[in-house]
Amino acid sequence: MAYRAVILDLFGTLVKGFNRQDYDPVIARMAETFDIPCQDFWDSGAETYPARSLGHYDPFEANLTDMCIRAVQEASIAQVELAASYHYEFMTDAITAEAKVIEALEGLKIKSLPLGLFSDCGPDVPFLWGQLPLARLIDESVFTCEEGVKKAGRRHIRTAVDDSRSSLMSVSTLATEAARR
């Protein structure tokens, strides 16, 4: 089967996904900036994530402001900018792909395969995206927060691709096929 394109997910595919343990120090620094208890700040972030991933908070600073309002805590512009800088620093590091991922994508580009990205994320990711080396290898990027849609689950995407007999393929399928050879 000849493939016409490869569509990739960002977190957990191109870059390591991160969990609460990874992000807790950032949450603690942001919460401290606003003088909000860390767990309350974390809960507010989790509560607002669905809206953030659908683009209701753009830029990310708007989400921080709403989190403070929910905690009945006033926040200055300087505090919001400082807290956002902690988050952006973490995200820049989190979205930096390993050299082997870059090499694999460059190999696909040499084969003239268009590369697409579909990521379930908040506005911070597209804000940082253009500054990252990985972005130059992706032909088309779709971010849920910009499109206002939630990404379908892996099973639903695979079913849609299989049902349409499309020539699109996920990176995990590509890796599985390469391992069989």
Side-chain angles (χ1 to χ4, degrees):
M1 171 185 259
Y3 299 108
R4 293 188 300 227
V6 179
I7 300 174
L8 306 145
D9 189 9
L10 183 58
F11 296 103
T13 301
L14 292 177
V15 299
K16 178 184 169 234
F18 60 90
N19 56 36
R20 182 169 177 168
Q21 183 179 357
D22 297 335
Y23 195 56
D24 264 349
V26 179
I27 287 288
R29 288 178 77 190
M30 290 192 295
E32 185 178 311
T33 300
F34 299 119
D35 197 29
I36 296 172
C38 188
Q39 187 60 52
D40 292 349
F41 195 75
W42 179 267
D43 291 345
S44 183
E47 182 180 303
T48 59
Y49 180 77
R52 184 169 59 249
S53 71
L54 292 175
H56 297 290
Y57 296 109
D58 188 16
F60 175 72
E61 288 81 350
N63 185 209
L64 293 175
T65 300
D66 186 47
M67 290 167 68
C68 290
I69 290 168
R70 290 167 184 257
V72 192
Q73 181 69 26
E74 288 189 33
S76 70
I77 292 171
Q79 286 174 303
V80 170
E81 288 174 352
L82 179 61
S85 74
Y86 300 146
H87 175 76
Y88 288 135
E89 179 182 343
F90 174 84
M91 291 304 293
T92 298
D93 291 343
I95 303 173
T96 300
E98 295 179 18
K100 65 182 179 180
V101 171
I102 299 287
E103 287 176 31
L105 294 178
E106 287 172 341
L108 293 172
K109 295 301 282 183
I110 288 169
K111 294 180 180 184
S112 299
L113 277 170
L115 301 178
L117 175 82
F118 191 21
S119 184
D120 191 12
C121 61
D124 49 324
V125 175
F127 174 75
L128 297 169
W129 182 246
Q131 306 167 34
L132 302 170
L134 187 58
R136 71 176 170 78
L137 296 168
I138 303 296
D139 299 301
E140 191 69 36
S141 302
V142 176
F143 301 105
T144 58
C145 62
E146 292 181 335
E147 300 300 322
V149 296
K150 192 83 173 146
K151 184 175 70 175
R154 186 178 313 231
R155 185 182 82 229
H156 295 103
I157 291 170
R158 185 172 309 275
T159 300
V161 169
D162 291 344
D163 287 349
S164 68
R165 300 192 193 285
S166 172
S167 293
L168 300 177
M169 165 167 83
S170 73
V171 73
S172 60
T173 303
L174 183 64
T176 301
E177 286 188 7
R180 288 182 186 157
R181 293 182 189 162

